[in-house]
Amino acid sequence: MTISSADIASAIETGSETRSGVSVNTNVALQVSAALCAGRVIAEGVAQMPLKIFEHLENGTKAEARSHPAWPLFHRQPNDWQSSFDFREQMTLHAVFTGNAIAVKNSVNGVLRELIPIVPDKVEIRQNARFGLMYRIFDKDGGHIGDYDPGKIFHLRGPSWSGFYGIDIVRTAREALGLTIELERSQGRMHARDRTPSGILTYKAGKLDQESLDKMSESWNATFGPGGPGGVAVLEKD
């Protein structure tokens, strides 16, 4: 089974069509204030918590493993451009919205030196017939960087149906997100066009023929329709 980068990129960039007519992807979901705030609360909450590594001692107790190679990476700085807070916030945000957060373990002479986060749509995960996993990493232009076994990858996954790949939360909740987005858009269009008239004209039934009704409709729409300036419509009288 293969979860390709094209599949992930499609979910993130192109999205899935919903019954509301909105194509929902990760970038669009981030524009929903409730979704963004929820993701930020979780990501920032995880990032600000102290993260320490412990080792079990022979006497059954545990102690901080400050000499472990992963200690400075998780506790202070995982790479040259991120703090521990930045790294954990990014990884958690990826996991919240796409179900998966992936970082490459960069080792020198067998010693872990840095953790490099990878954007989810740049990773292709393959599971062979013997259930072994392989991670194929691509650069921002789609070029193949390399293939990595699970021992070289730090994979933070959310709830999973397959067991090796987290459920795409945005795709799963696309209908609710799509409806929210369409409601925001429709309300925005209504307020932008100011469809509420400041006056209403009425006429007695049977006093106007179809041609006059059409002229009334055209005049009214010209004033109060899309882009109309508002005010009271002045209608031509035959």
Side-chain angles (χ1 to χ4, degrees), residues 114-127:
E114 63 179 350
L115 294 168
I116 303 174
I118 306 297
V119 178
D121 65 333
K122 301 304 179 185
V123 182
E124 182 179 286
I125 306 175
R126 297 185 176 187
Q127 185 180 54

Side-chain angles (χ1 to χ4, degrees), residues 120-179:
D121 65 333
K122 301 304 179 185
V123 182
E124 182 179 286
I125 306 175
R126 297 185 176 187
Q127 185 180 54
N128 60 33
R130 302 180 68 85
F131 305 105
L133 296 181
M134 186 271 288
Y135 294 77
R136 176 161 291 180
I137 309 296
F138 300 87
D139 61 26
K140 63 180 181 179
D141 298 319
H144 180 211
I145 295 177
D147 297 337
Y148 300 81
D149 60 52
K152 301 292 185 181
I153 296 292
F154 173 47
H155 186 175
L156 176 64
R157 67 175 62 87
S160 175
W161 185 262
S162 66
F164 71 91
Y165 192 79
I167 295 173
D168 189 326
I169 303 301
V170 169
R171 178 172 289 185
T172 303
R174 63 186 180 276
E175 292 297 342
L177 290 168
L179 180 59

Side-chain angles (χ1 to χ4, degrees), residues 43-191:
E44 292 176 2
V46 171
Q48 67 186 354
M49 295 294 291
L51 180 57
K52 300 179 180 180
I53 297 175
F54 290 85
E55 61 178 336
H56 291 282
L57 304 179
E58 293 182 357
N59 60 8
T61 62
K62 62 181 180 179
E64 293 182 359
R66 291 179 175 268
S67 60
H68 193 282
W71 176 277
L73 302 183
F74 283 109
H75 192 62
R76 290 195 297 273
Q77 189 172 14
N79 50 58
D80 290 340
W81 61 91
Q82 287 183 305
S83 65
S84 174
F85 181 97
D86 295 333
F87 176 78
R88 286 183 281 153
E89 181 183 43
Q90 179 188 11
M91 293 288 285
T92 305
L93 203 61
H94 284 175
V96 166
F97 283 96
T98 71
N100 299 274
I102 294 171
V104 174
K105 300 176 185 177
N106 188 18
S107 300
V108 178
N109 296 325
V111 179
L112 182 62
R113 294 299 185 187
E114 63 179 350
L115 294 168
I116 303 174
I118 306 297
V119 178
D121 65 333
K122 301 304 179 185
V123 182
E124 182 179 286
I125 306 175
R126 297 185 176 187
Q127 185 180 54
N128 60 33
R130 302 180 68 85
F131 305 105
L133 296 181
M134 186 271 288
Y135 294 77
R136 176 161 291 180
I137 309 296
F138 300 87
D139 61 26
K140 63 180 181 179
D141 298 319
H144 180 211
I145 295 177
D147 297 337
Y148 300 81
D149 60 52
K152 301 292 185 181
I153 296 292
F154 173 47
H155 186 175
L156 176 64
R157 67 175 62 87
S160 175
W161 185 262
S162 66
F164 71 91
Y165 192 79
I167 295 173
D168 189 326
I169 303 301
V170 169
R171 178 172 289 185
T172 303
R174 63 186 180 276
E175 292 297 342
L177 290 168
L179 180 59
T180 300
I181 293 167
E182 181 54 31
L183 285 173
E184 289 183 352
R185 290 177 179 176
S186 62
Q187 288 295 311
R189 288 192 296 267
M190 184 185 72
H191 287 287

